[in-house]
Amino acid sequence: AGIMGAGIAQVAAQAKHRVWLFDAREGAARAAKEKLASTLEGLARKGKLTDDDARGTLARIEPIDASGPAASAKLVVEAIVEDLDAKRALLRELETIVAADCVLATNTSSISVTALANGLSRPQRLVGMHFFNPVPLMKLVEVVRTILTTDETFDAAFEFAKALGKEPVSCRDNSGFIVNRLLVPYILDAIRGYEEGIGSIEDIDKAMQLGCGYPMGPFTLLDFVGLDTTYYITHVMFDEYREKRFAAPPLLKKMVLAGRFGRKSGAGFYDYSSGTPVAFDKVK
């Protein structure tokens, strides 16, 4: 029921699906629904949803304190911490609860879906569904099939994404899939460039925005994604490819060790405490 899970629940409920929202943290699912209520009310006030649609969407989301109700689900999307062992354990638990024809999907952004399927009694029904943050706004979903994933499972996930109003793309099960396979080396190179003195944080961001037409520069993007998340992804991708371009630069490691995770912690490559982002190399 974090940012990604709540976002997936919102778009599924808006598409008229009944959704059970579960989180291992006590009260987290209920808190996520309360936050969604505020979000939906705001969309209705702006005319982006009717009042009836907002109320209907919220009514279709049911926070649950145990995963038992998932027994009747046709699709389960896990969106927990980006950790191989934790995801494996959850998927194995879900296998003991859901029906034989239930599709299991993982929202992992970098972990091999085949590795997650290892140890499942029905690995052929696991598929990757990588949504992007913020889920209600970002149109892309990477649908990832393994060498074991059946056509029926893949097609069900692909069509489900389309029914949510998303633009799904088919991906091979390699670390980082399509987007992160290309994006991660770019943002890591921006950090290395800063370490080497090619420009300030603000100037590198501005150059990539104005020179390449990107909606945000690499450091703004890093803060949005989360430096800790990016740091973890570098380990997964470097472990698979063993290439320097996927290795975490020293500064990224230092930022994470210092607790500067980006927007979610209040500071990353920019400091957000004043309400106006200030690049950390300008903070006295």
Side-chain angles (χ1 to χ4, degrees):
I3 292 173
M4 296 303 295
I8 296 167
Q10 178 185 332
V11 296
Q14 282 183 262
K16 306 294 193 294
H17 292 285
R18 185 180 179 192
V19 180
W20 290 280
L21 186 60
F22 173 70
D23 196 297
R25 296 165 296 162
E26 185 177 355
R30 288 187 297 275
K33 182 173 179 176
E34 291 170 4
K35 188 174 181 180
L36 277 175
S38 177
T39 298
L40 293 166
E41 288 169 8
L43 291 172
R45 282 196 302 271
K46 295 175 182 176
K48 296 183 177 181
L49 281 180
T50 67
D51 289 337
D52 285 346
D53 283 342
R55 284 192 293 267
T57 296
L58 198 64
R60 284 187 285 272
I61 299 174
E62 180 183 347
I64 54 176
D65 294 321
S67 52
S72 60
K74 296 298 182 185
L75 170 70
V76 179
V77 184
E78 70 79 13
I80 66 170
V81 63
E82 192 76 347
D83 179 271
L84 175 63
D85 291 335
K87 287 182 182 292
R88 268 183 178 166
L90 175 60
L91 290 167
R92 288 171 183 171
E93 178 187 345
L94 285 168
E95 270 207 318
T96 68
I97 298 168
V98 299
D101 61 347
C102 177
V103 173
L104 296 181
T106 172
N107 185 55
T108 182
S109 60
S110 60
I111 299 173
S112 164
V113 181
T114 305
L116 294 174
N118 184 30
L120 295 180
S121 61
R122 291 187 176 89
Q124 66 273 15
R125 64 167 167 183
L126 180 66
V127 64
M129 288 191 75
H130 180 211
F131 291 81
F132 289 78
N133 185 31
V135 177
L137 298 180
M138 298 294 280
K139 300 292 284 185
L140 181 66
V141 177
E142 293 181 315
V143 184
V144 186
R145 72 185 308 159
T146 73
I147 58 174
L148 299 171
T149 306
T150 62
D151 290 342
E152 292 79 9
T153 296
F154 178 84
D155 291 344
F158 200 88
E159 291 304 315
F160 176 72
K162 286 172 65 176
L164 299 183
K166 302 301 183 185
E167 293 284 351
V169 294
S170 175
C171 300
R172 193 175 67 179
D173 184 30
N174 56 271
S175 183
F177 315 129
I178 294 174
V179 172
N180 280 332
R181 174 70 170 72
L182 301 175
L183 178 64
V184 168
Y186 157 68
I187 57 178
L188 296 183
D189 215 29
I191 300 173
R192 293 189 190 97
Y194 174 72
E195 289 176 325
E196 294 165 5
I198 66 171
S200 69
I201 289 170
E202 287 183 340
D203 284 344
I204 292 173
D205 268 358
K206 185 183 295 183
M208 296 311 295
Q209 277 185 283
L210 301 182
C212 296
Y214 292 170
M216 63 180 74
F219 294 105
T220 301
L221 179 59
L222 276 160
D223 279 1
F224 188 76
V225 171
L227 275 65
D228 54 335
T229 301
T230 304
Y231 185 56
Y232 180 83
I233 289 172
T234 64
H235 288 301
V236 174
M237 296 186 74
F238 182 77
D239 185 58
E240 176 156 334
Y241 298 118
R242 294 293 171 177
E243 296 179 19
K244 179 184 176 181
R245 58 185 173 146
F246 297 108
L251 180 57
L252 178 60
K253 180 179 179 180
K254 291 175 185 175
M255 298 286 274
V256 172
L257 290 174
R260 297 182 69 109
F261 301 151
R263 284 185 174 272
K264 60 185 172 185
S265 68
F269 282 101
Y270 290 88
D271 188 295
Y272 301 91
S273 59
S274 66
T276 300
V278 180
F280 96 101
D281 54 0
K282 288 192 174 181
V283 177
K284 303 298 181 183

